[in-house]
Amino acid sequence: MDHQNTHSVSVAGVIIDDQGRALLTQRRDNGHWEAPGGVLERDEDIITGLLREVREETGLDVEPVTLTGVYKNMTRAIVALVFRCKVIGGHLTETDEARSFRWVTADEVRTLASEAFAVRVLDAMRNDHTPAIRHHHGTRVL
């Protein structure tokens, strides 16, 4: 196998509340606002990884509602699967990975998050049942 041509797969959960707002987490490592998520471990399935990542970063237990998009970071060779989710338990808790949380409107998403991450949240906030397929170079959508 040519390891220069391998990809990693990440998952993210865009948690939507009853008011139609999305939960953003502020990462401890770089201060960026994003939906909770991260890289799948080699031996875990997609949904198990999604539930683990959201729980690790927020303290919340969620239920995935639908796949809302597939995104590829062309620079870092990461494919991200993004799901709209709803809270089914737990409590928002600061973690080693997230230092702050905000429930935000679509306009606030555009202000807080970089374009490449904002579009994931905005796609999940739409009531469209067709997943978006997009690619970017880390910050800007192509």
Side-chain angles (χ1 to χ4, degrees), residues 12 14 16 22-25 32-36 68-69 71 82 104-126 132 134 136 138-141:
V14 178
I16 306 293
L23 180 67
L24 292 185
T25 63
H32 294 170
W33 288 94
E34 300 175 4
T68 58
Y71 307 85
V82 179
V104 297
T105 64
D107 287 339
E108 291 169 317
V109 170
R110 290 180 187 93
T111 302
L112 287 171
S114 70
E115 181 181 340
F117 288 93
V119 72
R120 299 173 190 199
V121 177
L122 296 170
D123 286 343
M125 293 176 88
R126 293 180 308 146
R134 304 181 190 276
H136 61 88
T139 56
R140 303 218 23 115
V141 176

Side-chain angles (χ1 to χ4, degrees), residues 25-32 94-95 97-101:
T25 63
Q26 186 177 34
R27 295 174 52 117
R28 283 194 187 275
D29 61 353
N30 60 20
H32 294 170
E94 285 187 23
T95 67
E97 297 179 36
R99 67 177 175 204
S100 188
F101 307 98

Side-chain angles (χ1 to χ4, degrees), residues 1-7 42:
M1 176 187 299
D2 180 2
H3 290 287
Q4 290 181 326
N5 286 319
T6 61
H7 292 74
R42 195 178 217 27

Side-chain angles (χ1 to χ4, degrees), residues 36-136:
V39 177
L40 285 176
E41 294 177 1
R42 195 178 217 27
D43 63 344
E44 71 186 342
D45 65 77
I46 293 166
I47 300 302
T48 300
L50 172 68
L51 301 179
R52 176 186 55 77
E53 284 289 347
V54 170
R55 179 84 163 133
E56 284 177 1
E57 294 187 14
T58 67
L60 296 175
D61 296 315
V62 297
E63 178 180 305
V65 175
T66 190
L67 175 70
T68 58
V70 178
Y71 307 85
K72 182 177 179 186
N73 181 325
M74 301 299 289
T75 305
R76 298 183 62 206
I78 300 170
V79 175
L81 307 172
V82 179
F83 295 83
R84 183 182 314 118
C85 298
K86 65 180 182 179
V87 175
I88 58 171
H91 300 282
L92 273 178
T93 307
E94 285 187 23
T95 67
D96 290 341
E97 297 179 36
R99 67 177 175 204
S100 188
F101 307 98
R102 282 195 198 172
W103 290 100
V104 297
T105 64
D107 287 339
E108 291 169 317
V109 170
R110 290 180 187 93
T111 302
L112 287 171
S114 70
E115 181 181 340
F117 288 93
V119 72
R120 299 173 190 199
V121 177
L122 296 170
D123 286 343
M125 293 176 88
R126 293 180 308 146
N127 250 348
D128 185 352
H129 296 289
T130 304
I133 299 172
R134 304 181 190 276
H135 56 284
H136 61 88

